[in-house]
Amino acid sequence: MGRTSGASGDPSCGAGERVRSGAEREREHELERVLRTGPFPLALRTALTVRGLALQRVQHRLAQRGVKVGVTSLSYWQQGARRPRRPESLRAVRVLEDVLDLPDRALSRLLEPGFTGSTGSIGSTGSGDGREEAGRPAARSYRLLLDPAEALEQLLAELETPADGGLHTVGHHERVRIGPARELRARNSQQVVRAHRDGVDRYLAIHHGDPGCAPERVAVRATENCRVGRVRWHGPSGVIVAELLFDARLRTGETYVFGYGFEDGTGGPSGEYVRGFSFAGGQYVLQVRFDEAALPVRFRRFARAAVGARRTGMRELTLNGPHRSVHAVEQSVRPGILGIGWDWA
């Protein structure tokens, strides 16, 4: 097969065809990738960007083909705030493929029930309708991470929120303070999350107090880049779910940094602090500081695969004398439970 000779020196360039730059070819390759993997909002948004079409122009071209769709609806579709479901909306998506010069059913297939994409992972929790978002990490059920799982599920139902809120943690630094009566006085978090679906604008923070905790007296504080929304609790179990509202609606792949805390001090003596991880990945730093009037005699880091499972990865920790604290660092967490335990004299 011979090469076509032209001024560009590009053997693939035919007569009358515009030479594409490296950046343009890279954008086309990215579009091809997201059309394979989804999710739908990301694929639509990428196609609009690569084709250089504003929503008003797309609406006009759809109208020329006899399809009426509002600019607001198109915007919601690309943000992930709404999903085309009605027959007329699905027909509009098929016409969109023509407007955006995409292969047949390139967008439509991303809306089919059960679509996961070639890079998607199936976890044990999902979107509530049996489907999983493409590109989300594998997840572990709350039933494996929290003893009073029924109480948590009840609170999530009251908030009308699925267990998977569309976010997974990239980095988390948590500081826990134990008071003079050996009680969990407070915990504060600085957290970095990444969205694995479009339209996410909140995070659900879960607090499980020690036995005797009075959740109605626990205060929730938003310290950075968020504000406290609805708060629900289950008295008998001491479980609290707090809604932290972001100042932005995230798109798939975007990260967000925020801080929050719980002021407790209502429970009995504490012998450990644990955190459950639904998703793998990301760094976790746990620091526990003790009051000078109540210092344990032994400290250890540990992990558990699930509630009730045996402790693994046991490692003795040394108290930092001047600051009365111990810490543990996990560079890349796995789904399960991590914690620090201590023994009182």
Side-chain angles (χ1 to χ4, degrees):
M1 182 175 180
R3 291 179 55 176
T4 302
S5 177
S8 67
D10 181 357
S12 65
C13 180
E17 181 179 350
R18 185 176 65 87
V19 180
R20 293 186 300 174
S21 68
E24 288 176 317
R25 288 194 294 268
E26 185 176 338
R27 287 194 294 269
E28 286 289 345
H29 290 156
E30 174 65 13
L31 176 57
E32 292 175 4
R33 185 187 68 81
V34 298
L35 288 176
R36 288 194 306 269
T37 64
F40 173 79
L42 178 60
L44 175 57
R45 190 166 63 248
T46 304
L48 290 168
T49 301
V50 172
R51 299 297 183 247
L53 291 175
L55 294 181
Q56 290 83 355
R57 186 61 178 166
V58 171
Q59 181 195 37
H60 176 70
R61 292 190 180 183
L62 287 172
Q64 289 179 325
R65 291 164 171 80
V67 175
K68 293 184 179 180
V69 179
V71 171
T72 300
S73 294
L74 292 171
S75 178
Y76 282 159
W77 290 356
Q78 70 161 341
Q79 293 172 21
R82 289 183 185 173
R83 185 180 178 91
R85 298 183 187 277
R86 295 181 300 174
E88 57 268 33
S89 297
L90 296 176
R91 176 176 174 267
V93 171
R94 290 192 292 271
V95 178
L96 254 179
E97 295 166 349
D98 179 57
V99 169
L100 296 173
D101 192 23
L102 301 177
D104 185 45
R105 299 189 67 254
L107 293 174
S108 303
R109 60 184 288 273
L110 303 179
L111 296 170
E112 293 176 353
F115 175 82
T116 60
S118 60
T119 63
S121 307
I122 302 298
S124 55
T125 61
S127 60
D129 58 1
R131 294 189 295 269
E132 301 289 337
E133 292 83 10
R136 60 163 283 187
R140 181 160 295 185
S141 169
Y142 278 124
R143 287 188 171 273
L144 299 176
L145 304 177
L146 190 68
D147 191 15
E150 293 81 4
L152 176 58
E153 290 171 350
Q154 174 185 326
L155 299 178
L156 293 176
E158 290 180 14
L159 293 170
E160 299 180 340
T161 305
D164 173 19
L167 298 169
H168 55 277
T169 297
V170 176
H172 189 172
H173 190 172
E174 187 163 34
R175 296 177 176 87
V176 175
R177 184 159 51 93
I178 305 299
R182 302 182 176 180
E183 81 284 11
L184 193 159
R185 174 67 61 177
R187 46 170 283 227
N188 295 282
S189 289
Q190 181 80 11
Q191 199 160 345
V192 184
V193 294
R194 174 174 283 116
H196 51 257
R197 67 165 176 257
D198 284 351
V200 181
D201 63 356
R202 65 200 62 202
Y203 175 84
L204 292 184
I206 301 168
H207 178 71
H208 185 200
D210 286 309
C213 169
E216 70 277 5
R217 291 165 47 200
V218 174
V220 185
R221 296 183 298 106
T223 58
E224 184 178 9
N225 298 330
C226 64
R227 61 188 187 280
V228 178
R230 297 170 294 175
V231 179
R232 299 289 186 271
W233 63 80
H234 183 262
S237 66
V239 173
I240 304 166
V241 178
E243 190 179 52
L244 301 172
L245 306 176
F246 298 162
D247 298 324
R249 186 182 293 272
L250 305 183
R251 294 178 174 178
T252 301
E254 287 186 332
T255 56
Y256 197 79
V257 181
F258 62 106
Y260 62 94
F262 291 86
E263 298 287 344
D264 193 337
T266 67
S270 180
E272 65 179 26
Y273 182 83
V274 300
R275 171 166 284 275
F277 294 90
S278 295
F279 298 106
Q283 183 192 70
Y284 176 60
V285 180
L286 172 60
Q287 183 178 6
V288 183
R289 184 173 182 178
F290 299 87
D291 189 274
E292 60 183 352
L295 293 177
V297 295
R298 187 184 180 194
F299 313 86
R300 69 194 68 84
R301 174 264 190 209
F302 64 91
R304 283 195 182 105
V307 170
R310 68 180 183 87
R311 292 184 176 186
T312 60
M314 300 276 287
R315 187 172 68 248
E316 296 291 326
L317 301 176
T318 302
L319 183 73
N320 182 315
H323 300 285
R324 305 182 304 278
S325 67
V326 292
H327 77 276
V329 179
E330 191 72 17
Q331 292 293 351
S332 183
V333 302
R334 298 178 180 179
I337 298 169
L338 291 173
I340 292 177
W342 51 88
D343 297 328
W344 299 105

